Amino acid sequence: MDPVEIKLITALEDRGLRKTAARSLVTSRIENANDAFTAEQLCRDLPEVGRATVYRTIRHLVDSGALCKLPILDGAPMYSVARVEHHHHTICSKCGAVGEFRHSTVERVMRSLEKEIDGDIVGHRMEIFITCNQCLAKSDTGANSAV
Amino acid sequence: MDPVEIKLITALEDRGLRKTAARSLVTSRIENANDAFTAEQLCRDLPEVGRATVYRTIRHLVDSGALCKLPILDGAPMYSVARVEHHHHTICSKCGAVGEFRHSTVERVMRSLEKEIDGDIVGHRMEIFITCNQCLAKSDTGANSAV
DNA sequence: TCAGTAGTTGATATCAAGTATCAATTACTG
DNA sequence: CAGTAATTGATACTTGATATCAACTACTGA
Ligand SMILES: [Zn+2]
Ligand SMILES: [Zn+2]
Ligand SMILES: [Zn+2]
Ligand SMILES: [Zn+2]
């Protein structure tokens, strides 16, 4: 079994949840996706698992920290496997590919903002929008070659 | 007329949109709110304006940059009047109050991340979650006084 | 001033994401 | 293996948001 899937299953077990066929299908599908996904995508990919169960399992994984839930302004949130503890995301504006990154300077700056901001800081979130290398490559070749 | 409302109306006019009674109701309501709001809140506050029109007007204002649209992980996005050009938001986790801030260090760090990140950076977003001063004050007094 | 036209409105229907219900099923315990 | 509590998933529902389109209204310029 893939280390990612083990991690997801462990996250469920650690919450005292039972190991069931439905949950295994969900975790192995997430592991195979190997990319960010929406809840509806999972439902479509797993017609043999009920929507309620898909949503419930995702919620468990998010609550346990094994999955990140990314807000998407126009549309359903996306989920991606959390590979390191605290991190932020890159999102390709063209294809939606999601990456993780972590940079100490960012965290240091956050701490320095405490003076500037009214109230107590309890957390933060950050997304960097990019055009990913695949999409850059695509627009360099093909696309405009008709002129 | 309030400068904020003038700004909103101008944003609509600049897009070649007509000045109508419905749109005036929406802009003056936003100006009076003086706080972040959801589309549904606006609809409730303006039963005399159709839902479609409320949503359409908000979209125009967001597209023109006069309003910020903030993703809220569990629920409808919130909107707040954009008071300065590029900025980020503080969100109180207790009461939902939204503030704006701008800090040059944050922007400088963003630029420095270009080396770390695969692909071209085209933008970023950042939210700082806080407990605002009002909520801090509330939990200091009242609340636990019963013991 | 007013008719023509193009933009606007809003009731209604529809869509999409997500949650609540609850009887039937299944995983664990001893 | 029986008993119990957790889990499932079909169904119905809720909420946020968009599509439709006939009626209406703001602008134009004759
Ligand atoms: Zn891409
Ligand atoms: Zn961080
Ligand atoms: Zn607050
Ligand atoms: Zn910034």
Side-chain angles (χ1 to χ4, degrees):
Chain A
M1 216 187 289
D2 188 277
V4 170
E5 191 174 356
I6 290 171
K7 175 188 165 174
L8 297 179
I9 288 173
T10 306
L12 295 178
E13 282 174 353
D14 287 355
R15 316 195 89 219
L17 300 172
R18 289 181 177 174
K19 206 179 139 191
T20 68
R23 286 180 181 146
S24 296
L25 284 169
V26 173
T27 54
S28 81
R29 184 69 195 72
I30 292 175
E31 176 261 318
N32 285 325
N34 193 20
D35 225 341
F37 58 91
T38 65
E40 291 299 321
Q41 271 165 30
L42 259 198
C43 289
R44 254 173 274 134
D45 292 352
L46 293 171
E48 65 269 40
V49 179
R51 306 170 44 70
T53 301
V54 169
Y55 275 91
R56 277 187 295 239
T57 307
I58 288 175
R59 205 186 318 160
H60 284 307
L61 291 171
V62 171
D63 290 351
S64 73
L67 275 189
C68 307
K69 183 174 182 178
L70 285 95
I72 301 295
L73 257 185
D74 306 288
M78 303 211 62
Y79 299 91
S80 79
V81 177
R83 279 159 222 286
V84 289
E85 269 313 305
H86 175 78
H87 60 264
H88 300 286
H89 294 98
T90 56
I91 305 178
C92 174
S93 328
K94 297 232 190 293
C95 69
V98 172
E100 278 183 10
F101 75 92
R102 183 179 160 69
H103 202 255
S104 56
T105 315
V106 173
E107 306 309 319
R108 217 172 302 125
V109 169
M110 284 297 148
R111 217 156 304 134
S112 78
L113 282 175
E114 261 159 12
K115 303 170 201 86
E116 312 280 332
I117 284 172
D118 264 7
D120 286 0
I121 295 183
V122 298
H124 63 266
R125 173 169 80 198
M126 188 172 128
E127 283 95 31
I128 297 195
F129 299 103
I130 63 170
T131 305
C132 73
N133 287 336
Q134 278 88 345
C135 288
L136 283 173
K138 239 174 271 169
S139 59
D140 280 352
T141 52
N144 293 351
S145 57
V147 185
Chain B
M1 216 188 288
D2 188 276
V4 170
E5 191 174 357
I6 290 173
K7 176 187 165 175
L8 297 179
I9 288 172
T10 305
L12 295 177
E13 282 174 353
D14 287 355
R15 317 196 88 219
L17 301 172
R18 290 182 176 172
K19 207 180 138 192
T20 68
R23 287 180 181 145
S24 296
L25 284 169
V26 173
T27 54
S28 81
R29 184 69 195 75
I30 292 176
E31 175 263 317
N32 285 324
N34 192 21
D35 226 341
F37 57 91
T38 65
E40 290 299 321
Q41 272 165 29
L42 258 198
C43 289
R44 254 173 273 134
D45 291 351
L46 293 171
E48 66 270 40
V49 179
R51 305 171 46 71
T53 301
V54 168
Y55 274 90
R56 278 187 295 239
T57 307
I58 288 175
R59 206 188 316 162
H60 284 308
L61 292 171
V62 170
D63 289 350
S64 73
L67 275 189
C68 308
K69 183 174 180 178
L70 285 96
I72 301 295
L73 258 186
D74 306 288
M78 304 211 61
Y79 299 91
S80 78
V81 177
R83 279 160 221 284
V84 289
E85 269 313 305
H86 176 78
H87 61 264
H88 301 287
H89 294 98
T90 56
I91 305 178
C92 173
S93 329
K94 296 232 190 295
C95 70
V98 172
E100 278 182 11
F101 76 93
R102 182 178 163 68
H103 202 255
S104 55
T105 315
V106 173
E107 305 309 318
R108 217 172 303 128
V109 170
M110 285 298 148
R111 217 155 304 136
S112 79
L113 283 175
E114 262 158 12
K115 304 169 200 84
E116 312 280 335
I117 284 172
D118 264 7
D120 286 359
I121 294 183
V122 299
H124 63 264
R125 174 170 79 199
M126 187 172 128
E127 281 95 31
I128 297 195
F129 300 102
I130 63 169
T131 305
C132 72
N133 288 335
Q134 278 88 347
C135 289
L136 283 174
K138 240 174 270 169
S139 60
D140 280 351
T141 52
N144 293 351
S145 58
V147 185

